[in-house]
Amino acid sequence: LNAFRNGDGGISQFTPATPLPSGIASGPAAWPALMAAAQDGDKAAYRTLLESLLPVLTRMVRKRISNPALIEDVVQDTLMTLHRIRHTYDPGRPFLPWLSAIASARAIDALRRHGRMSAREIHDPNAFEAYPDDRHSEPENALAARGEVAHLLATLSPRQRRAIELVKLHDMSLVEAAGETGFSIPALKTLLHRAITKLRSVGGQST
Amino acid sequence: MTNHSELIETLSRSAEPVQRLAPPARRALVWFMICAAAGWIAVWPMRLPLSLFGGTSDTLSLLALGTAILASLAAIHAALRMGVPGLRANGIGFAMAGAIAWLGFCLAEIVNRRWGIWSLGEGAYCFTFIVVCSVPMMALAIVALNRARPLHPNRALLAAGFGIAMLAAAFLSACHPFRLDVVDFTMHLAAMSVVVAMTALLGYRWVKIPAGKA
């Protein structure tokens, strides 16, 4: 992939980094053939397909969701769902309705989750420090001693990692971190929440 | 490298050949035949005589049986279509219409025959019959939907459960002396509701798309 995202987080012109399979173009007309090849195990065709779908998927998701951080999560969720159920695509049928149904379902799920979280959960970053869970202090220290914190941070997306670094490691306030990154405070809160959830799940698996 | 490109790289590296799903209509037909056999075998030890062509059969019983089978097929077809993103669940309306017709035929039987309205009749036995008959069909439905991994697992499972319940009711009406009373029929409906709920509850874990990366 050459670069879908420019410095502002926007989508740049698509240029496939991988050579296309012989005789197959990369435009929308080629998607059914690329998916059929991917179903047969052609990794290059699959990569080309996913790369060419990325801008389309982002546009589809952006129609439903306005939060930039959530859009990225939903696009990734859609790509993973597409991967898991790629066997359900019938090359004899149009590709776009199939893709659109997946993106739409994932976007709606994300909005529901987001709505539930907003309605029922209070995001309080200070609570993590004010009310530490002593039961887990020793495993966390052991984890740090093994140098796995860096590994855990590497599992985060660049934006999530940046948010954690500024707020948690550099002790910046949300306002300062928002000014530093250019994110809005709600977007920063969302990033922090998702990052901490992900760190917990990854940390839980590795301990 | 951006976050998306890492994911695309991971996904494309793990892209092994997959077996495509057969068209939903063909899968529904195969599923229906296997389920019919499995359901029949499951209730075989209950030794209910096949009474459809015995002395108790009449137009109402045949109509109820026919509409239950059609509603079942339509619901199963709809459930399997739900496993393919972008396809509309066309059969649901037909299944609901079939179920309403079936309900109408059964109520007509209750009103016309005037059996002992509040007698328990064979209600408990019928409840057991429907549930026992449905268990292997539920397992087969979950296996079929597990392969497709529908985007909306609850809807697909509810449709499949409805199809299973209607098929079990059809089996019961083939073996049941068509002599419904209110309590007996209520037990049929209760058993069918249990089957739909059990299919949705037991199947969700196996049918939903698992979270996490490739």
Side-chain angles (χ1 to χ4, degrees):
Chain A
L1 183 68
N2 286 343
F4 286 101
R5 310 197 67 79
N6 57 32
D8 303 328
I11 304 300
S12 63
Q13 183 71 32
F14 165 67
T15 315
T18 49
L20 299 179
S22 58
I24 301 182
S26 67
W31 289 343
L34 285 170
M35 185 45 122
Q39 287 175 327
D40 294 334
D42 185 337
K43 294 177 170 55
Y46 192 42
R47 184 183 298 114
T48 305
L49 174 70
L50 295 182
E51 285 170 352
S52 66
L53 290 181
L54 197 52
V56 181
L57 271 180
T58 309
R59 274 199 300 275
M60 282 178 179
V61 175
R62 196 172 280 157
K63 280 181 188 167
R64 291 182 178 271
I65 299 174
S66 56
N67 182 337
L70 198 54
I71 290 174
E72 289 206 4
D73 285 352
V74 172
V75 168
Q76 295 210 348
D77 200 12
T78 306
L79 286 173
M80 286 190 284
T81 304
L82 181 154
H83 179 75
R84 289 192 179 278
I85 60 170
R86 63 191 187 280
H87 63 287
T88 62
Y89 175 66
D90 177 356
R93 289 182 180 277
F95 183 81
L96 215 50
W98 183 80
L99 178 73
S100 174
I102 297 173
S104 171
R106 294 293 82 144
I108 291 167
D109 283 352
L111 283 173
R112 280 188 185 141
R113 263 199 314 272
H114 194 65
R116 274 199 300 269
M117 280 199 309
S118 308
R120 295 180 188 169
E121 295 180 12
I122 301 168
H123 184 66
D124 182 5
N126 295 329
F128 293 113
E129 284 122 32
Y131 306 103
D133 186 351
D134 296 332
R135 291 171 304 171
H136 294 296
S137 60
E138 296 221 347
E140 277 175 8
N141 290 339
L143 204 63
R146 292 203 302 271
E148 289 192 16
V149 171
H151 168 69
L152 288 176
L153 285 176
T155 62
L156 301 176
S157 72
R159 291 151 61 99
Q160 290 174 339
R161 195 183 313 131
R162 182 89 177 123
I164 286 282
E165 280 170 356
L166 291 178
V167 177
K168 296 295 174 192
L169 302 182
H170 297 168
D171 285 335
M172 280 187 177
S173 69
L174 286 173
V175 178
E176 289 168 339
E180 178 79 16
T181 56
F183 300 146
S184 66
I185 291 181
L188 194 61
K189 284 181 176 177
T190 305
L191 280 172
L192 279 170
H193 182 81
R194 289 177 179 276
I196 289 167
T197 307
K198 190 168 184 181
L199 285 174
R200 278 185 184 152
S201 73
V202 174
Q205 286 167 7
S206 62
T207 52
Chain B
M1 291 283 274
T2 64
N3 205 19
H4 293 319
S5 63
E6 286 168 16
L7 177 62
I8 288 175
E9 185 61 32
T10 308
L11 295 180
S12 53
R13 265 204 312 270
S14 63
E16 299 301 327
V18 289
Q19 189 179 358
R20 293 185 192 106
L21 282 182
R26 194 194 309 165
R27 294 175 66 219
L29 207 58
V30 171
W31 187 91
F32 184 83
M33 288 190 291
I34 295 173
C35 273
W40 200 253
I41 290 167
V43 291
W44 191 257
M46 297 177 78
R47 304 286 182 198
L48 267 183
L50 189 68
S51 59
L52 180 66
F53 302 108
T56 58
S57 66
D58 60 11
T59 311
L60 272 180
S61 71
L62 286 173
L63 285 172
L65 177 66
T67 48
I69 288 175
L70 287 177
S72 165
L73 249 173
I76 289 160
H77 185 229
L80 294 176
R81 279 180 71 89
M82 287 179 198
V84 181
L87 286 188
R88 301 176 76 177
N90 288 338
I92 279 294
F94 194 77
M96 295 309 293
I100 290 168
W102 170 81
L103 196 62
F105 293 134
C106 291
L107 292 177
E109 163 65 16
I110 292 172
V111 171
N112 286 342
R113 297 296 179 84
R114 297 179 187 281
W115 300 111
I117 286 183
W118 299 113
S119 68
L120 183 60
E122 299 294 329
Y125 194 80
C126 295
F127 186 96
T128 312
F129 182 100
I130 288 178
V131 173
V132 169
C133 183
S134 299
V135 168
M137 295 197 273
M138 273 188 251
L140 288 165
I142 291 169
V143 168
L145 291 174
N146 170 273
R147 166 120 173 80
R149 300 279 184 182
L151 291 171
H152 304 288
N154 278 329
R155 291 182 209 168
L157 282 164
L158 286 173
F162 180 68
I164 290 166
M166 289 307 297
L167 188 55
F171 280 161
L172 180 62
S173 65
C175 302
H176 194 279
F178 203 68
R179 183 187 148 176
L180 281 175
D181 54 53
V182 173
V183 177
D184 188 20
F185 186 56
T186 305
M187 292 297 272
H188 291 197
L189 294 180
M192 291 166 74
S193 305
V194 166
V195 168
V196 175
M198 276 174 66
T199 309
L201 290 174
L202 297 177
Y204 184 78
R205 187 182 163 200
W206 305 103
V207 170
K208 71 171 182 175
I209 299 172
K213 294 201 172 184

